[in-house]
């Protein structure tokens, strides 16, 4: 470690002003630096993790298991509407977990509609969904997870502080809790895992009247007629389950659906949503939100402008949900005080392939990283491997290639590897072969719905013996399907291997063992049965 100057510890009094409490001199290791008098300072740490979300919690526990002295600081800044939550970060509180549970709620609605065809005698008039019951159940489960994380930190001897952390100097942070009490801590190394928060439009009325995904999952009333602004993961998933609960839902799309994804697949996701009652306003962006009526929900007037011409749209909605992207929480954590570089435009932190920032003792993982996937398992994997390399003699780096993902829209979309567009751009059209087919899940045949809506596509690299470089599926349980094939893709699966794999009948995934039609051939891929 670089030698560092003597450290002076100061503490902010609750009533203001600074008091010099102690001076510690470096004695070989940073640990020994902290010889503090009185009760002003806590101990120093091997590792301080800023952010107790997916990545931060995984990394902190791993480091403690390897015998290190670890602290994790987590603090949730309330949304403009005052929503806040417990330990665990985005995924648990306002992301993957409540989203998937609400998606499941919507799928159950479809199952109820299918049930009479299978002989269930339901009194359909009596079937109603209760937003309150759903949110209470979801929030109770989240509460149990929050508690579980605290217990698990304690069991792993990780010190947890519910406080906002910011760097104040080399190896030193300031932690402010919700009562304004300030403490200072030092550590040999730091890990930034502060994640992201939803972006606002910056137009009149947005912060006053709109909600984001940070508010939606614990909203104390049913949102009613909803306008969802945005067209990526968060927007389409939320629009999907809200419509599945029977609400009137419109999606306002600035440009395309699911930017970065295979557009053939993205458009099919959108078509299915439209066929299932979700409205789309394309190439418009909101310019003003006004409140017409207060209430829970109240009534809002949305004015929007065309991105192509002088068209103006006006509409009234009970709720406007902004899902226009997320900003990295890196601008208010004192990075400039320690010299950590961020991309000034995006706020994202560039790191080397070992998740190390330009300041050698400061690392970063998860959603704050530049040019990396914003997914829970990615943050967890990067955090664990980093800590194993730092403290456990590990050599493995996080592999950000071929990460599988699933968009939990009404028709789920699972993907791994290249989109068709990216594959053509990188390898050239003549070097790739695309095999595809529509299919009909057996479960949907008896209710006689949605034939030729599920779709399977693989993209193969011809010069590499048709190695599968892109996998795409629109199907129920697409995530479960994609997870398995992702492992095979990591092992270098080729089309021949897929062809020689015996299917499991009757499941959706078996379609990948029988793909025979190339997209190039333009042959008919519509199926007449399952
Ligand atoms: P986070 O989990 O966001 O944790 C960061 C923590 O740091 C937060 O608790 C934050 O409050 C805290 N913090 C910030 N600044 C400070 C500070 N200065 N001091 C102390 N604490 C601070 N991913 C999937 O893989 N699958 C999904 O299905 C999925 N669904 C999603 C649905 C939605 C609606 C959203 C928004 C995201 C979804 N994601 C999903 C993405 C996933 O939630 C994130 O990729 C993941 O949570 C990132 O983990 P992280 O550790 O980087 O940050
Ligand atoms: P995102 O992927 O950054 O998409 C933002 C969307 O908002 C885009 O459709 C974008 O349109 C639109 N937009 C941006 N600015 C706008 C404006 N001013 N007016 C109108 N529209 C605007 O953001 P996200 O959906 O919030 O997702 C964030 C990340 O969370 C994702 O990258 C993903 O990794 C993660 N996530 C994962 C899952 C999952 O695994 N199932 C689910 C949810 C989230 P343009 O295309 O025109 O730019």
């Amino acid at each position: 470690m670089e030698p560092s100057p003597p450290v002076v510890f100061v503490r902010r009094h609750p009533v203001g002003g600074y008091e010099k409490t102690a001076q510690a001199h470096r004695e070989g290791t940073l640990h020994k630096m902290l010889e503090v008098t009185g009760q002003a300072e806590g101990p120093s740490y091997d590792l301080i993790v800023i952010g107790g979300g997916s990545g931060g919690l995984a990394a902190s526990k791993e480091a403690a298991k390897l015998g290190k002295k670890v602290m994790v600081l987590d603090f949730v800044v309330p949304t403009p509407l005052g929503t806040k939550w417990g330990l665990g970060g985005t995924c648990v509180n306002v992301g993957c977990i409540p989203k998937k549970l609400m998606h499941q709620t919507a799928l159950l609605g479809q199952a109820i509609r299918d049930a009479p065809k299978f002989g269930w005698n339901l009194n359909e008039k009596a079937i109603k969904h209760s937003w309150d019951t759903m949110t209470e159940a979801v929030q109770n489960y989240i509460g149990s997870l929050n508690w579980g994380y605290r217990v698990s930190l304690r069991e792993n001897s990780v010190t947890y502080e519910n406080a906002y952390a910011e760097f104040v100097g080399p190896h030193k942070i300031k932690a402010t809790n919700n009562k304004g009490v300030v403490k200072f801590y030092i550590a040999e190394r730091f890990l930034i895992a502060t994640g992201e928060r939803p972006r606002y439009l910056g137009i009149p009325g947005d912060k006053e009247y709109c909600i984001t995904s940070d508010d939606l999952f614990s909203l104390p009333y049913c949102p009613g007629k909803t306008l969802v602004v945005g067209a990526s993961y968060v927007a389409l998933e939320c629009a999907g389950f809200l419509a599945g609960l029977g609400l009137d839902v419109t999606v306002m799309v600035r440009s395309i659906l699911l930017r970065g994804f295979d557009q053939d697949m993205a458009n099919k996701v959108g078509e299915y949503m439209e066929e299932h009652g979700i409205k789309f306003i394309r190439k418009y962006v909101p310019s003003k939100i006004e409140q017409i009526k207060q209430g829970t929900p109240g009534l809002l007037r949305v004015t929007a402008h065309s991105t192509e011409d002088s068209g103006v749209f006006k509409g009234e909605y009970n709720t406007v949900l902004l899902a226009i992207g997320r900003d990295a929480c890196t601008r208010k954590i004192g990075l400039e005080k320690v010299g950590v570089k961020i991309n000034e435009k995006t706020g994202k932190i560039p790191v080397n392939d070992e998740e190390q920032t330009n300041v050698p003792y400061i690392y970063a993982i998860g959603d704050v990283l530049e040019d990396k996937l914003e997914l829970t398992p990615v943050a967890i994997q990067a955090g664990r491997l980093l800590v194993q390399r730092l403290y456990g003699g590990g050599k493995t780096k996080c592999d950000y290639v071929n990460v599988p993902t699933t968009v939990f829209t009404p028709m789920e979309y699972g993907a791994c590897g290249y989109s068709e567009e990216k594959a053509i751009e990188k390898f050239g059209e003549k070097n790739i072969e695309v095999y595809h087919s529509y299919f009909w899940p057996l479960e949907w045949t008896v209710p006689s719905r949605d034939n030729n809506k599920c779709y399977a596509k693989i993209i193969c690299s011809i010069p590499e013996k048709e190695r599968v470089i892109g996998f795409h599926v629109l199907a129920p349980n697409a995530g479960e399907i994609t997870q398995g094939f992702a492992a095979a893709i990591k092992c270098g699966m080729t089309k021949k291997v897929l062809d020689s794999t015996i299917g499991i009948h009757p499941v959706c995934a078996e379609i990948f063992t029988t793909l025979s039609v190339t997209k190039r051939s333009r042959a008919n891929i519509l199926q007449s049965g399952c």
Side-chain angles (χ1 to χ4, degrees):
M1 239 191 68
E2 295 290 310
S4 43
V7 178
V8 176
F9 294 95
V10 288
R11 176 182 188 238
R12 193 184 185 98
H13 271 283
V15 287
Y18 285 90
E19 177 197 10
K20 197 171 177 180
T21 57
Q23 185 158 356
H25 291 276
R26 183 179 173 74
E27 293 173 16
T29 70
L30 198 79
H31 256 192
K32 291 179 188 152
M33 272 177 13
L34 192 63
E35 293 296 330
V36 185
T37 58
Q39 23 80 6
E41 302 299 336
S44 68
Y45 292 88
D46 291 314
L47 177 69
I48 289 183
V49 179
I50 307 178
S54 308
L57 288 179
S60 61
K61 283 186 276 187
E62 192 74 16
K65 279 182 194 145
L66 290 169
K68 294 295 152 185
K69 192 173 172 195
V70 187
M71 164 177 260
V72 59
L73 296 116
D74 189 65
F75 189 85
V76 178
V77 177
T79 71
L81 298 184
T83 314
K84 51 187 181 183
W85 49 88
L87 179 62
T90 303
C91 169
V92 174
N93 295 286
V94 287
C96 330
I97 300 297
K99 180 276 306 289
K100 181 90 189 285
L101 290 172
M102 294 192 182
H103 173 63
Q104 171 64 8
T105 311
L107 293 181
L108 287 172
Q110 179 63 60
I112 291 167
R113 288 192 292 282
D114 288 351
K117 293 276 174 48
F118 288 95
W120 290 101
N121 195 350
L122 305 176
N123 178 357
E124 290 194 28
K125 284 203 183 108
I127 298 173
K128 273 204 189 118
H129 180 257
S130 160
W131 176 269
D132 293 350
T133 306
M134 174 185 71
T135 45
E136 191 185 331
V138 168
Q139 291 303 320
N140 283 344
Y141 178 60
I142 291 173
S144 75
L145 293 178
N146 298 145
W147 174 249
Y149 290 129
R150 291 183 83 128
V151 171
S152 151
L153 287 180
R154 203 165 48 231
E155 283 172 354
N156 283 286
S157 305
V158 175
T159 306
Y160 163 59
E161 277 251 1
N162 180 205
Y164 188 86
E166 55 197 298
F167 288 96
V168 286
H171 294 278
K172 188 174 181 191
I173 55 153
K174 171 175 141 185
T176 311
N177 76 8
N178 61 0
K179 296 194 176 80
V181 176
V182 172
K183 292 180 186 167
F184 293 90
Y185 297 103
I186 62 167
E188 185 179 6
R189 291 189 172 106
F190 288 85
L191 177 59
I192 303 167
T194 48
E196 297 182 304
R197 294 296 292 270
R199 194 174 298 149
Y200 283 79
L201 282 163
I203 59 166
D206 64 345
K207 285 198 172 154
E208 292 93 324
Y209 307 127
C210 298
I211 64 167
T212 69
S213 54
D214 279 0
D215 303 295
L216 178 67
F217 302 112
S218 58
L219 203 65
Y221 54 86
C222 178
K225 183 182 174 190
T226 301
L227 177 71
V228 179
V229 184
S232 197
Y233 272 99
V234 175
L236 298 188
E237 290 183 340
C238 292
F241 74 70
L242 290 175
L245 305 182
L247 303 184
D248 179 340
V249 177
T250 303
V251 181
M252 186 170 282
V253 184
R254 176 168 73 174
S255 56
I256 56 170
L257 303 188
L258 293 173
R259 179 178 300 285
F261 281 94
D262 188 297
Q263 282 302 295
D264 178 21
M265 306 301 287
N267 291 332
K268 287 181 168 62
V269 165
E271 279 161 28
Y272 187 87
M273 290 175 77
E274 250 173 317
E275 283 162 12
H276 286 256
I278 298 170
K279 288 165 266 190
F280 284 82
I281 302 172
R282 289 171 192 268
K283 308 270 167 79
Y284 270 82
V285 286
S287 45
K288 189 164 59 171
I289 316 286
E290 297 160 289
Q291 190 176 56
I292 302 174
K293 205 173 94 196
Q294 277 191 338
T296 51
L299 195 62
L300 302 171
R301 180 180 297 120
V302 177
T303 308
H305 284 85
S306 166
T307 60
E308 295 181 315
D309 52 38
S310 57
V312 175
F313 166 88
K314 283 187 193 288
E316 292 181 3
Y317 300 90
N318 298 116
T319 298
V320 177
L321 172 70
L322 301 182
I324 57 162
R326 298 166 57 78
D327 290 323
C329 302
T330 54
R331 296 193 197 269
K332 294 180 184 161
I333 56 171
L335 293 183
E336 65 294 346
K337 301 223 170 78
V338 281
V340 172
K341 286 197 186 114
I342 59 169
N343 176 328
E344 281 307 330
K345 204 166 157 221
T346 60
K348 295 271 193 165
I349 303 177
V351 288
N352 63 16
D353 64 354
E354 306 230 40
E355 286 83 25
Q356 189 177 35
T357 70
N358 63 303
V359 176
Y361 69 91
I362 302 178
Y363 298 79
I365 53 165
D367 283 6
V368 291
L369 294 189
E370 184 171 59
D371 294 335
K372 299 284 191 293
L373 289 156
E374 297 161 13
L375 296 168
T376 281
V378 175
I380 293 173
Q381 178 90 328
R384 285 206 181 122
L385 291 176
L386 167 67
V387 164
Q388 284 165 12
R389 289 195 307 274
L390 290 178
Y391 303 121
K395 295 270 177 281
T396 313
K397 295 174 188 173
C398 184
D399 182 2
Y400 292 96
V401 177
N402 285 335
V403 174
T405 183
T406 291
V407 189
F408 294 96
T409 31
M411 173 70 91
E412 294 176 16
Y413 167 31
C416 183
Y418 285 91
S419 65
E420 204 176 325
E421 298 86 341
K422 277 273 174 240
I424 292 171
E425 189 186 311
K426 182 152 171 99
F427 303 100
E429 197 161 4
K430 67 175 186 348
N431 288 321
I432 65 158
E433 196 71 84
V434 177
Y435 294 88
H436 67 160
S437 182
Y438 284 105
F439 61 98
W440 199 13
L442 177 65
E443 297 81 348
W444 294 3
T445 56
V446 169
S448 193
R449 65 173 169 92
D450 300 316
N451 190 12
N452 287 308
K453 298 298 168 195
C454 291
Y455 180 70
K457 168 158 98 174
I458 56 167
I459 301 159
C460 303
S461 163
I462 296 171
E464 297 173 84
K465 296 186 176 160
E466 290 202 315
R467 183 171 68 87
V468 178
I469 55 169
F471 175 96
H472 303 269
V473 60
L474 291 175
N477 305 307
E480 310 293 344
I481 298 172
T482 309
Q483 184 70 83
F485 282 107
I489 288 171
K490 247 181 140 29
C491 299
M493 176 177 75
T494 59
K495 175 71 166 64
K496 198 170 161 199
V497 168
L498 268 181
D499 293 344
S500 67
T501 302
I502 294 175
I504 300 171
H505 192 63
V507 302
C508 290
E510 69 178 312
I511 188 77
F512 286 99
T513 65
T514 58
L515 288 175
S516 59
V517 179
T518 64
K519 204 167 179 188
R520 215 186 290 277
S521 73
R522 296 176 188 275
N524 181 20
I525 51 164
L526 295 175
Q527 307 290 312
S528 52
C530 83

